[in-house]
Amino acid sequence: MLKRFVSLIAAVALMALAGCNTVHGLGQDIQRAGGAISGAAK
C-alpha cells in the first residue's frame, strides 16, 4: 500500500514538473497544491 502511494506521488510530481516551463510556474503549481491540501484538511 505504501509503495503504491509513493508511486502515485512520484507520478503526480513528474506530471506537475513536466507541465511547468519555468521556476515561476513551478512556484504557482506548488502554491495551488498547497491550497488544495489545505482546503481538503478543513
Side-chain angles (χ1 to χ4, degrees), residues 3-6 12 16-17 19 21-23 27-28 30 35 39-40 42:
K3 191 180 264 189
R4 180 178 282 178
F5 179 72
V6 171
V12 169
L17 288 173
N21 296 324
T22 64
V23 173
Q28 288 178 340
I30 292 171
K42 289 183 181 178

Side-chain angles (χ1 to χ4, degrees), residues 21-38:
N21 296 324
T22 64
V23 173
H24 180 69
L26 176 63
Q28 288 178 340
D29 290 344
I30 292 171
Q31 187 175 19
R32 283 192 210 113
I37 291 169
S38 179

Side-chain angles (χ1 to χ4, degrees), residues 2-15:
L2 181 61
K3 191 180 264 189
R4 180 178 282 178
F5 179 72
V6 171
S7 296
L8 176 66
I9 295 298
V12 169
L14 252 170
M15 286 188 279

